[in-house]
Structures are given as C-alpha cells and as structure tokens.
Amino acid sequence: MATSKRYICIHGHFYQPPRENPWLETVETQDSAAPYHDWNERICAECYATNGAARILNETKQIARIVNNYSRISFNFGPTLLSWLKENAPRTHRMLVNGERRSRVNFKGHSSAMAQVYNHIIMPLANERDRRTQIRWGIADYESQFGVKPEGMWLAETAADTATLEILAEEGIRFTLLAPHQCKRTRLMKDGSEWVGTPDASVDTTHPYLVKFASGASLAVFFYDGPTSRAIAFEGLLNSGEFLAGRLKSGFKEGTEPQLVHVATDGESYGHHHRHGEMALAYALRLLERDKSVKLTNYAAFLDQFPPEFECEIYDNTSWSCAHGVERWRSDCGCNGGRAGWNQKWRGPLRQALDELREAIVPFTESAGADLFTDVWAARDAYIQVILDRSDESLSQFLTAHQKRKLNETEREFALKLMEMQRNALLMYTSCGWFFDDISGIETVQVIAYAGRVIQLAQDMFGEEVAGLEAAFLARLSEAKSNVAEAGDGARIYAEKVLPMKLSLEQVAAHYAISSIFSTYADEADLFCFHVRRISYEVYTSGRGKLAMGRAHVASTITGASGQFSFAVLHFGDQNITAAVKNYVDKDAKTFETFASEAAELVQSADFPAVIRLLDRTYGTAGYSLTSLFTDEQRRIVQLILNSTLWDIESSLTNIYEDHASLLHFLAKSGLPKPPALTLAAGFAINAGLRRALETDPLDVVMLRSFLQRAATDKVPLETASLSYLADQRMKSSMVELELSCGSNEMLDRALALARALTEMPFDLNLWQAQNIWCEVLRESEQSLAELSLDERARWEKDFAELGTCLSIDTAAMNEQEQVAESTGD
C-alpha cells in the first residue's frame, strides 16, 4: 500500500450574514446574543478566535499546547465577516491571516483559504451581471486580505449551475467544492469512456473532477464526503478528536491510487454549534499529523499534485442545504427549521419584490451612469476597492480610473450614491434572508432593510422619477405573509422595523446634539459612518436644567453628502430631553445669534417655559428626544441615567439583606423555606457585591471571598454567566497590563493576585483570552527579562509559572514547545 498517496482535508465554511445597519454601517446591539454585544461578537468568541488558538489538553485537563487550526485545514471566510473581524476583532483577524500564511508553508505554496462569492447570494437565482460582480468582489476582497490570488472559491450554500461554474473559470478560479448529490455523471477523460450516472450521491469523492465548458474553459470540482460531513455537523463526531481522526481515516478505499478523504461543514461547527469543537479538531489534526499512513493537505495542493483524470457534469440549480435544489430561497419547498404549522410561502413574494426593485433601478443606473462613468457596470465591479478602503486616496483612484470626465463635488456625491445604491441592491440578496422560518426573523428584516436603503438612495437621486418605487415594492411585499400574527406581512415589517432605521443628515445632527449633553466631543468627531465638525457650542445651566446650543457640519463618509445644522437641546434631568435641529445657511446667522442670546438669558433667569416657547418660535418644533438617539448610544445614555437609581435600589436591597442576614442563615441551615422577598434581596445583594469586588482595582479579595462564602452559606444562586464574563474581561485586562509592562514584577504580582482569587470562584471560568496572552508573554519576554537582576528574574519565573498554573496551563509542557502558539487572540 502506497501510504504516501492517502490525503485528508477538512474544510470549514466560516460565515455570518452582514448584520450592519445599512444607514450606520455598524452592527447594533442584539439582545439575543447577550452577554455579548451582537452575534458576530459572540460567535467570534466561541469559534473564530478559538480556532486560531485551539487548546490541546494533558491528562489533568491543563493546556499543553496551543495551535492555529487555520494553518492545517481548508477554509473560507465570508468577505463581509472578514471586514467585521478586521475592524472589531483585530487579534482574531491576525490569527486568521497568520494561519493562512502558515498554510502556504505547510502545503508547498498553496493557500488553505478559499475565496467566497461576496455576500453569499444564491448564484443560480442571480442574473449574469450580479454573478460576475459577486465573484469579482470576492476575489478582490481575498487579495486584499491575504495578498495573493485565490485558487478556489466557495459558492454560497454550494448552490450551483453550469453557467455559474463557467463564470468562475472565466474569472480565473481553478476549483470549487460541491456536495456529492450535486454530481450528475462522470467519465474517465483519457480514453473517451462512456458517461456513468451518479444517482443518490454515489460519486467517488476521493478525487477531483473537471467540468468542461463549450467556451474551452474548465473548472475542477471536489465533491466532499457527505456522510462524514453530516456526522461532524449533526451526529456528535466532534465529541472526540480521536473519533474524528478515526472516522476520516476509515474513508479510504483499498488500492494504491492517490486518494483524498475530505469533509465540508459550516466552520461554526468547530466551537459555536459544538462547544469545544475546535479542540476536537485540533486534537484530530495532531493525531493525523503524527500518523505516517496519511498526510494533511488542502485542495489546491492536492489538485496541483494530482490533476483530474475524470470529468463530470452537475445537476443545475442544486445546493448542499435544500433537497429541492435552490427552492429554499424562492418557494415554500418544505425545507425549514421545523416549526409546526408554519409555512414559507413568503419566500416567493420576497424574492419577487427584490427582483422587481433591482430591475426598476437598472435604467436609472445606466442613464445616470452613462453621464458619470465610462462604463457604469465596470465601475460597479471596481467599486469593491472603495468598499475595502474608504480613504480619500482610494476614492480618488477609483474615480480617476472610471469617471467619464473630472466630476465636480455634486457629481461626485451623485456617483457615490449610485454605487451605494447598487451595493445595497447586491446585499439585499444575502441568502440568509430566505433560509429561516419566517419573514419577521432578523436575517430577513436585514435584507429588507438593504432594500429600504436602495429605495432611499433612488429617491434622493431621482426624485419624482421614482415616485412609485416604494409603493410598488410594498405592494409586492404585502403578499409575503408572516406566520407571526403580530408581524402581519412584509409591508408591515418594512413600516415597523425598517422605516425607523432610515436616517437623514438632520437626524445625525440631532443624535450629535443630544448625546453631547452626556459626552464630550472633540471639535471633529466620527459618529459611525458620519463625520461631524463642530462650528460652535455653548452650554448654560440653571439648577437641574441645561441648555446646549450650537452649529455643526455633518458629512457622510460613504457618499460625501453633507449639510450644516443649528441645534438646541434642553435637559431637565434623567430622561427629560427635548431637542430642535434645522438646516443652517449663512442667511440664518443673525436669527441664530439672536435666538442664542435670548435663550441664554432665559436659562440664567431659570425661565424654562419661556425657553421652550422660544424654541418653538425659532425651530417650529422641538421634535427630537432621547428616543431619537441611535440604539447603542441610547442604551449607553439610559444606563448613565439609571445608574443613580439602580444604586439607590441596590443600596436598599443590600441594607434589607444585611439587616436580616442572620435570619436567612438560620433558615438556610435549618432547611426551612425562605421568604421570596428576602431571597430576592439576598440574590441581588450578593451578586451585586461580587460584581463590585471584581470591578475594584486592585481586586478586593476580602470582599470577593466574603460574598462567595455568603452565597454558599445562604444557598444563593449566582449569576454565573455575567460573573464569568466579567471575570474573564478583568483577567484579560490584567494580562494586557502585564504584557505591556515589559517584565514588571509589580504588574505580575497584580495579575497573580487576581488569578489566585479567581481560582476560588465556584463555577467554570472562560479565561481563554488571558491564557493566550500568558503564552504571548512567555514567547516575547526574553529580551525584557534579560535586563533584570538574577534575583528579580528568578522571582519572575517562579511567579509567572504559578500564574500559568492558575490559568490552567501546563507550564512545563508549554515551555518545552519550540513554538508556543502560531498566534493568539482577543
């Protein structure tokens, strides 16, 4: 048996739908992801980051090795997710990039990373123009992230038809990955063999195939091992890394020909869907690396070494996640999450509404684009460079290459709006909008929101020419009926969930004005995707009343649209805020100066009713309030307002608990029932006390132990999720301080004291981030330690080893590793 020709490849499709508010270009709070800010952040912590620093444990469950799974598996990341990671989780993004670079070393110059169609649209359901843009944007994003051209590309949901595969080949892609049931027939190429059908996923998945096109182009296709992939995703194979390695090895056939056993699943299987799945993967990879009978590889490396000997044809309009082809994304096919009594008849009208909207804006795009660009569709393809880099230089390069003539400021703004309209028209086809059970789900609301942004931009640019655009869209959307009675239909969802998202520059100015009461802004500030330049700002107070007045210039960093506004905000304490904003032009200068002077005098005399009347006369209406703030800022300010109230409540409940603690001890010890009111006070007081102890800098160890003892004695349940999260963040912060201190024994003492205390917590802690930093310090501290005296160094090494032990690290094993980790994470 020629064992050297047996290869194994594990592919992870890492993807989240774009979640950004289309008007703010940022992901807002998603309560269902708590204690994390949003689902991107949560899944990053559970999966994307952990696969960059996966643990291999010893017999006593201590960390013996940390490895970067990305350097050993095949993977693709959705471009919109990669952009989020780069901005919001830079350490994780760095691990990913480091893993990709290392994969090229491991696999003879071939990257383990595949590209992906840009925002995960179902390619067979797209028109030819959109397919090309998706592929070109995916390639450009890949080159931006990894610095090399992609060899392979992942198709969303592996949804494919022959036309899509041909475009991949034409755009320079060498291979893609499909499900076995998507293969229609195969034949050996060299001797003109007859075609052999491959019904019921019976294709031999251990070697690649070539799809030939009439144009003369060709594309290699790998069909993954379906049963083993399902076992990983749904049947608990990730419960054991040893079982995973064994199952993969069992996939080889008898014979000496080159074979590739390979699987493909959602990358989120490794850590998010299956807790500690990344550890099972890491252990399996280590076992396979040590096994001389097999070799790890990636698709490009295998393809280079063993080109296809067989060709194939595929079933058009098929995918890996719908038994009915691609119907899951356009009809009530029966593929769903299993909610009894629900249907997905809404899918058809939703797609039809979006298709009609897309086609309605085409003539406007082409007409306006012909005046601005040499080729508007070529400009759209190239616009990805602006999306990836919003700098003035990048924008200038784009316009220089594609503008029909040198554009003035107004034309430039119009050109950018045109491109943004088209970008959102692509984003609105993100596949998750149809995947789940109801049109009221957050993923579907998201694609409808992108459509709302398309409509707004069209109205801004073309005015009365598109007067019926929104009405026609809503008429079709009203045919999409929700299974949730309160949601109604698509049109109602648009009205209730999308319209409140819509923003004008005036609303941005209102947000700035109101939040300035609670925040200190510099003269120039960035608010999400807007830049605000303060022109004037004055504050007057009297008692609890406060009046802020000023002028500001607001500009979109996306389209360049801008305006100048005057504003006035009255705050009477707590949530009692009223604000007025309006456009400002030079002729308004005298009016505003007069208003500001009169308002200041009225505040100083505490005549707030007169101030309100003056506001109404000057601005017409003071229509903005705390509810006008963007979601995250609104919550931050409400929390500031609530803090004093919550402190009063906390103090009262703590006093009640303290006054009756001995009674509670007696009841708990005697096994007698505890009054609910007293139990509530105890739970609140003890958990609040633990939070205070963890937040105190340095850590109040005495307070921590005291409240832990009380909780145990009085049998008070702890809020383990929030306390664990807080402890993890606190330990991470302490380790960051240690890392930056360059060998400071003082910082080490603080980190060690905290770590010792946290070992007393009566529940599991997720100290993943702190553990990674410990390894970074171990790897990078040699130079700073060389500057210490022998006694200081001996003390450092002793205490640092104890710190590692407190963090559940096998310090001896980690010290023995030549490379502690290839990269570490957030």
Side-chain angles (χ1 to χ4, degrees):
M1 181 178 65
T3 56
S4 63
K5 292 185 179 180
R6 292 191 164 196
Y7 294 84
I8 290 175
C9 179
I10 300 171
H11 183 82
H13 164 53
F14 295 90
Y15 165 74
Q16 290 297 305
R19 303 180 188 277
E20 285 79 5
N21 177 313
W23 286 269
L24 296 176
E25 299 290 340
T26 193
V27 181
E28 296 184 291
T29 298
Q30 295 175 311
D31 292 329
S32 57
Y36 297 91
H37 176 270
D38 55 73
W39 279 104
N40 281 4
E41 184 179 289
R42 177 169 177 169
I43 298 172
C44 178
E46 295 172 351
C47 176
Y48 309 138
T50 56
N51 274 286
R55 275 71 169 134
I56 294 176
L57 307 182
N58 64 16
E59 316 78 52
T60 61
K61 306 298 183 184
Q62 288 183 308
I63 300 167
R65 185 176 176 85
I66 294 180
V67 296
N68 188 327
N69 285 342
Y70 299 119
S71 68
R72 295 167 176 83
I73 65 171
S74 170
F75 65 90
N76 73 279
F77 264 79
T80 54
L81 174 59
L82 270 180
S83 296
W84 182 91
L85 287 170
K86 190 173 184 178
E87 177 71 22
N88 297 279
R91 285 178 179 263
T92 298
H93 183 269
R94 188 163 62 248
M95 289 190 293
L96 174 61
V97 171
N98 288 345
E100 186 277 332
R101 288 175 182 163
R102 183 65 187 174
S103 75
R104 283 184 261 157
V105 175
N106 292 342
F107 303 121
K108 300 179 180 179
H110 295 284
S111 174
S112 286
M114 293 173 61
Q116 181 199 286
V117 293
Y118 184 73
N119 63 277
H120 213 263
I121 75 168
I122 302 303
M123 295 290 273
L125 298 181
N127 61 34
E128 198 264 350
R129 182 167 53 224
D130 286 358
R131 295 189 211 197
R132 286 198 182 272
T133 300
Q134 286 283 324
I135 292 168
R136 290 171 179 173
W137 282 16
I139 291 172
D141 181 86
Y142 183 99
E143 292 173 348
S144 172
Q145 300 288 349
F146 302 118
V148 294
K149 290 185 178 297
E151 296 186 74
M153 177 166 276
W154 179 269
L155 297 172
E157 305 292 339
T158 75
D161 59 5
T162 304
T164 297
L165 299 188
E166 186 168 13
I167 298 173
L168 287 178
E170 291 171 352
E171 296 296 331
I173 298 298
R174 291 183 66 200
F175 70 89
T176 192
L177 183 58
L178 299 179
H181 65 260
Q182 293 179 267
C183 184
K184 182 179 181 180
R185 59 180 186 170
T186 69
R187 69 177 177 184
L188 191 63
M189 288 190 289
K190 68 179 181 180
D191 58 4
S193 299
E194 294 295 317
W195 287 102
V196 177
T198 55
D200 303 319
S202 58
V203 64
D204 182 352
T205 62
T206 61
H207 54 77
Y209 297 83
L210 197 67
V211 180
K212 298 179 179 179
F213 308 105
S215 63
S218 62
L219 181 82
V221 174
F222 291 88
F223 297 99
Y224 63 78
D225 179 336
T228 304
S229 298
R230 283 192 295 274
I232 292 171
F234 306 115
E235 297 169 13
L237 191 53
L238 291 179
N239 292 337
S240 164
E242 191 172 356
F243 290 165
L244 174 58
R247 176 67 178 267
L248 290 167
K249 287 174 60 180
S250 72
F252 292 105
K253 306 177 298 181
E254 292 297 325
T256 60
E257 72 276 11
Q259 296 180 57
L260 176 68
V261 170
H262 60 111
V263 292
T265 67
D266 285 337
E268 290 76 18
S269 296
Y270 304 108
H272 174 58
H273 298 315
H274 299 275
R275 191 180 182 209
H276 302 316
E278 82 287 350
M279 294 172 64
L281 174 61
Y283 190 67
L285 292 169
R286 187 153 179 77
L287 291 176
L288 293 170
E289 282 179 319
R290 291 176 169 180
D291 191 325
K292 300 304 181 184
S293 69
V294 298
K295 288 185 178 180
L296 292 177
T297 190
N298 63 33
Y299 291 110
F302 188 87
L303 187 63
D304 197 49
Q305 191 172 358
F306 305 108
E309 297 179 1
F310 292 79
E311 66 176 306
C312 76
E313 292 179 353
I314 68 165
Y315 288 108
D316 282 346
N317 299 325
T318 53
S319 66
W320 76 343
S321 53
C322 177
H324 314 92
V326 293
E327 295 306 307
R328 186 167 194 158
W329 298 276
R330 65 179 175 187
S331 72
D332 185 19
C333 68
C335 291
N336 54 50
R339 294 290 294 267
W342 283 24
N343 67 70
Q344 284 72 49
K345 294 178 181 179
W346 53 269
R347 289 173 177 162
L350 173 62
R351 181 163 291 277
Q352 192 172 355
L354 297 182
D355 285 348
E356 290 169 354
L357 176 60
R358 178 194 63 198
E359 294 306 309
I361 64 173
V362 166
F364 294 99
T365 298
E366 293 181 337
S367 175
D371 185 51
L372 299 169
F373 298 105
T374 53
D375 181 334
V376 70
W377 299 115
R380 185 180 78 164
D381 287 342
Y383 188 63
I384 182 62
Q385 301 301 336
V386 178
I387 296 170
L388 293 170
D389 178 5
R390 297 282 184 180
S391 69
D392 291 341
E393 181 182 1
S394 173
L395 178 57
S396 178
Q397 290 174 351
F398 166 75
L399 290 174
T400 299
H402 296 281
Q403 64 190 356
K404 197 168 188 176
R405 61 182 183 284
K406 186 171 178 59
L407 305 181
N408 61 37
E409 188 173 338
T410 301
E411 291 171 326
R412 177 171 157 150
E413 179 185 324
F414 197 99
L416 290 174
K417 285 183 176 179
L418 201 64
M419 291 294 100
E420 282 299 308
M421 182 177 70
Q422 282 296 322
R423 179 173 77 99
N424 282 274
L426 289 168
L427 291 172
M428 72 187 185
Y429 282 106
T430 302
S431 68
C432 291
W434 289 265
F435 191 84
F436 298 101
D437 284 1
D438 195 66
I439 191 173
S440 63
I442 58 174
E443 295 84 3
T444 313
V445 172
Q446 183 74 30
V447 301
I448 296 173
Y450 287 127
R453 180 63 174 148
V454 170
I455 291 169
Q456 184 192 44
L457 286 165
Q459 291 170 338
D460 285 350
M461 289 184 287
F462 304 112
E464 288 300 315
E465 295 180 73
V466 294
L469 190 64
E470 186 173 45
F473 176 72
L474 292 178
R476 183 67 67 191
L477 206 56
S478 68
E479 298 173 13
K481 307 299 181 184
S482 172
N483 295 285
V484 180
E486 307 82 60
D489 56 37
R492 181 173 171 184
I493 289 168
Y494 180 87
E496 294 181 356
K497 295 188 176 182
V498 173
L499 285 182
M501 292 186 197
K502 284 191 175 185
L503 283 181
S504 65
L505 290 175
E506 181 180 300
Q507 288 170 289
V508 178
H511 173 96
Y512 172 81
I514 294 170
S515 61
S516 72
I517 294 289
F518 304 92
S519 305
T520 301
Y521 286 115
D523 288 342
E524 304 215 8
D526 290 317
L527 288 177
F528 303 100
C529 60
F530 298 92
H531 184 78
V532 181
R533 176 170 53 84
R534 184 170 60 202
I535 299 170
S536 67
Y537 188 79
E538 295 178 291
V539 178
Y540 299 92
T541 61
S542 179
R544 293 193 68 191
K546 179 186 290 187
L547 173 67
M549 299 177 291
R551 292 188 291 124
H553 180 270
V554 179
S556 167
T557 59
I558 305 297
T559 66
S562 64
Q564 190 177 141
F565 302 89
S566 71
F567 59 83
V569 186
L570 265 176
H571 183 214
F572 297 109
D574 293 339
Q575 80 283 5
N576 301 304
I577 297 174
T578 185
V581 180
K582 70 176 182 179
N583 283 310
Y584 180 93
V585 292
D586 290 341
K587 67 177 183 178
D588 296 329
K590 185 65 175 177
T591 301
F592 181 75
E593 289 173 7
T594 301
F595 160 77
S597 175
E598 292 180 11
E601 290 181 9
L602 291 171
V603 170
Q604 290 168 351
S605 61
D607 191 353
F608 286 102
V611 175
I612 294 173
R613 290 193 295 272
L614 179 60
L615 267 177
D616 290 340
R617 287 198 305 272
T618 306
Y619 285 90
T621 179
Y624 294 102
S625 66
L626 198 59
T627 60
S628 306
L629 290 170
F630 308 150
T631 300
D632 283 10
E633 184 72 357
Q634 184 184 103
R635 292 189 176 204
R636 184 187 73 83
I637 290 173
V638 167
Q639 189 59 51
L640 288 174
I641 293 169
L642 285 173
N643 279 342
S644 61
T645 302
L646 290 175
W647 177 256
D648 291 342
I649 295 171
E650 181 179 316
S651 297
S652 298
L653 289 173
T654 300
N655 288 335
I656 292 171
Y657 168 67
E658 295 290 353
D659 290 345
H660 303 284
S662 60
L663 175 58
L664 192 63
H665 299 335
F666 169 76
L667 294 174
K669 186 176 181 180
S670 304
L672 296 173
K674 294 173 283 187
L678 192 54
T679 301
L680 172 67
F684 192 96
I686 287 175
N687 282 288
L690 287 170
R691 283 193 296 272
R692 284 200 308 276
L694 287 170
E695 290 168 349
T696 304
D697 190 18
L699 179 78
D700 192 328
V701 178
V702 174
M703 181 189 296
L704 183 73
R705 288 175 176 160
S706 172
F707 280 110
L708 287 175
Q709 180 61 43
R710 293 185 187 192
T713 301
D714 297 337
K715 297 180 174 58
V716 174
L718 297 180
E719 297 170 1
T720 55
S722 60
L723 290 173
S724 176
Y725 182 79
L726 181 58
D728 177 35
Q729 295 301 308
R730 181 64 198 279
M731 192 70 238
K732 174 193 171 184
S733 297
S734 184
M735 292 301 295
V736 168
E737 290 178 351
L738 176 62
E739 185 178 28
L740 296 174
S741 71
C742 299
S744 164
N745 274 303
E746 179 184 353
M747 289 296 103
L748 178 56
D749 288 343
R750 293 182 59 170
L752 181 56
L754 175 60
R756 285 170 177 163
L758 294 185
T759 61
E760 301 178 25
M761 299 294 275
F763 49 79
D764 291 337
L765 296 175
N766 177 14
L767 299 175
W768 185 87
Q769 301 172 94
Q771 293 160 347
N772 288 346
I773 298 172
W774 186 93
C775 294
E776 280 190 346
V777 174
L778 175 64
R779 186 171 64 245
E780 299 170 357
S781 61
E782 184 58 35
Q783 183 175 352
S784 58
L785 293 182
E787 300 174 4
L788 300 179
S789 67
L790 291 178
D791 288 345
E792 287 176 324
R793 176 159 186 158
R795 177 190 163 199
W796 167 278
E797 291 175 346
K798 173 179 174 295
D799 289 348
F800 189 69
E802 183 185 350
L803 174 60
T805 301
C806 290
L807 296 175
S808 300
I809 294 172
D810 182 343
T811 57
M814 295 297 281
N815 274 293
E816 288 172 5
Q817 295 298 331
E818 189 173 21
Q819 291 183 335
V820 178
E822 293 164 347
S823 58
T824 52
D826 299 290

